[in-house]
Amino acid sequence: AQSVTQLDSQVPVFEEAPVELRCNYSSSVSVYLFWYVQYPNQGLQLLLKYLSGSTLVKGINGFEAEFNKSQTSFHLRKPSVHISDTAEYFCAVSDRVGSQGNLIFGKGTKLSVKP
Amino acid sequence: NAGVTQTPKFRILKIGQSMTLQCAQDMNHNYMYWYRQDPGMGLKLIYYSVGAGITDKGEVPNGYNVSRSTTEDFPLRLELAAPSQTSVYFCASSYSRIEETQYFGPGTRLLVL
């Protein structure tokens, strides 16, 4: 069974500062990894995903994440945040076989960007 | 395309009442999902479907039922509402297996009193 740990429940940051949202996962098999974003009062939308290949994945809105197999991590980064990045961010994992599309989500990290 | 639509947006139920949360998608996706989101707990999968006529339980199915008679629709039924079912419910769809992006609806906020 897989599990996901998002190490910070809330991250406050000033506008134009860099940010890193941390995600660690646990699994006995190879996995796919995802980051989703939820803006206030909306559903989730995909930021980026790692399926295979290059461990550095680029997503929408200037976000990127790096898959580190040895540390079982998939941290999300942005070099300069905007007010509009204020949202909740969810890391999710799924095994590569047999899950029929089941995603296991972390508890979320609320990013608050202050002017 | 409207994407994934959900109705109602908000509902208050009394304990023991029943209701159906509606979900529809117009992207011709095969896979559909129901999640619930509780504060500080992330999303938990309730039920999913890999095609019309095929459904299966997720992590937290107790107290819910689903059906999938068409590709487009995936309603979620609460038979005897309980306060523990107070939550925000999200429907999602994807074209096929897990490597495909899941597209989420705007959610239904349910309060059981």
Side-chain angles (χ1 to χ4, degrees), chain A residues 47-48 58-65 76-80 85:
Chain A
L47 266 182
L48 49 80
K58 294 191 184 296
I60 62 171
N61 300 338
F63 283 92
E64 63 181 32
L76 181 71
R77 300 184 183 100
K78 186 170 182 179
S80 176
D85 293 322

Side-chain angles (χ1 to χ4, degrees), chain A residues 14 34 40 52 69 77 80 92 110 112-113:
Chain A
F14 286 106
F34 304 79
S52 64
K69 188 175 181 179
R77 300 184 183 100
S80 176
K110 289 184 178 176
S112 175
V113 181

Side-chain angles (χ1 to χ4, degrees), chain B residues 49-68:
Chain B
S49 168
V50 301
I54 307 170
T55 62
D56 206 349
K57 296 177 181 178
E59 187 179 355
V60 290
N62 292 344
Y64 307 95
N65 278 301
V66 294
S67 59
R68 182 107 182 261

